[in-house]
Amino acid sequence: SLIVSSGTTSKGSSGNMTLISGTASTGGGGGVSIVVGTGATVSGGKLVMNAGSSGDDSGGYVSLLSGSSSSQSSGDFKIQTLHGTNGMSGSLKIESGASSDGGSGAFAMHSGNAESGSGGNISVVAGTGKGDVGGSITMNAGLASGSGGAITISSGSGSSKSSGNMM
């Protein structure tokens, strides 16, 4: 095992840990790879990222950002489960946390605005089933002892042309 740790403290904040690749004045910046071990006959290793918990304040946050560019497109950001050769591919879940006192966390999915050109698209596509049934898309608003949650789907408005179509 390899353990790299910042120090602990009984008063104040514990130490930070920073992993940085070098900057290049010409050429590409250096990469950082975290690779977990493969299992030949059992499961591969796990990669777990947890932000810190707090007893008296908000928990820490996790921020994953693609790189920006001053002259080209910003970097892509991809989250994907890989193919399963015998059986199903892995599932992908993105959830906000539950709360025992107060509201649960919000979940928002936005594409960026464009100052010139078209706004970004959002596609939700269920998988094709070649030997069985195709995947389904289910949208449920939240249940409540009072009023249940709403589902609103609107096409975009246009200031100089017609609004978007609903199909």
Side-chain angles (χ1 to χ4, degrees), residues 108-134:
M109 182 168 52
H110 298 276
S111 70
N113 297 330
E115 295 298 322
S116 61
S118 301
N121 296 325
I122 295 177
S123 298
V124 179
V125 180
T128 302
K130 294 193 176 184
D132 204 353
V133 178

Side-chain angles (χ1 to χ4, degrees), residues 26-147:
T26 59
V32 174
S33 297
I34 300 174
V35 180
V36 180
T38 302
T41 58
V42 294
S43 298
K46 296 177 182 174
L47 174 61
V48 178
M49 294 187 344
N50 287 334
S53 299
S54 174
D56 295 329
D57 203 348
S58 298
Y61 68 92
V62 176
S63 178
L64 301 173
L65 305 172
S66 70
S68 63
S69 173
S70 58
S71 61
Q72 299 289 326
S73 300
S74 64
D76 293 333
F77 187 89
K78 183 176 184 178
I79 301 174
Q80 177 184 0
T81 64
L82 292 181
H83 307 289
T85 54
N86 294 319
M88 295 173 36
S89 64
S91 297
L92 176 63
K93 289 185 178 181
I94 301 175
E95 300 178 4
S96 70
S99 174
S100 59
D101 185 14
S104 64
F107 176 79
M109 182 168 52
H110 298 276
S111 70
N113 297 330
E115 295 298 322
S116 61
S118 301
N121 296 325
I122 295 177
S123 298
V124 179
V125 180
T128 302
K130 294 193 176 184
D132 204 353
V133 178
S136 300
I137 296 175
T138 304
M139 292 177 22
N140 292 323
L143 304 174
S145 57
S147 298

